[in-house]
Amino acid sequence: VLALIRKVIKDAKAAGRKVGICGQAPSDHPGFAELLAEAGIDSISLNPDSVCGVRQRLAKYEVVLEERKLAIPVKELSTLSMPSDETTAIEAGITQ
């Protein structure tokens, strides 16, 4: 079911459509709202008594998602070259 939800969101986004979901799942199941956010959902409905808690969790989770976007993938780290000792010394203003 989760794979189908992700696929619907992805396909709708590819078609230029906004996607929302209503129902109790984002309110009742911790982590479900985060899953929807990661999948790219545009809006979710919540039970009134869960709005504050879910919004706080989503705000924290969106920070995590942004950090993931900014992170350098591990495979790219292996292609980065370290400066030589001479370059490092010159950049630091330490010459002999």
Side-chain angles (χ1 to χ4, degrees):
V1 172
L2 297 178
L4 290 173
I5 291 171
R6 285 188 187 104
K7 181 175 178 1
V8 167
I9 294 169
K10 180 181 174 186
D11 292 350
K13 292 288 191 173
R17 299 299 207 156
K18 292 197 176 278
V19 183
I21 189 170
C22 61
Q24 285 190 235
S27 296
D28 293 348
H29 302 284
F32 190 65
E34 289 87 338
L35 177 139
L36 294 171
E38 186 172 4
I41 197 100
D42 294 298
S43 65
I44 59 175
S45 66
L46 299 168
N47 292 337
D49 64 340
S50 69
V51 171
C52 292
V54 172
R55 284 188 65 177
Q56 288 173 346
R57 285 197 334 263
L58 281 176
K60 289 177 185 176
Y61 192 67
E62 286 178 348
V63 170
V64 171
L65 291 178
E66 286 302 312
E67 288 173 350
R68 285 183 193 167
K69 288 180 189 176
L70 297 174
I72 299 172
V74 173
K75 68 179 183 178
E76 290 181 25
L77 288 175
S78 64
T79 63
L80 296 177
S81 60
M82 295 297 291
S84 68
D85 289 338
E86 183 178 298
T87 305
T88 305
I90 292 169
E91 288 173 356
I94 304 169
T95 55
Q96 296 179 5

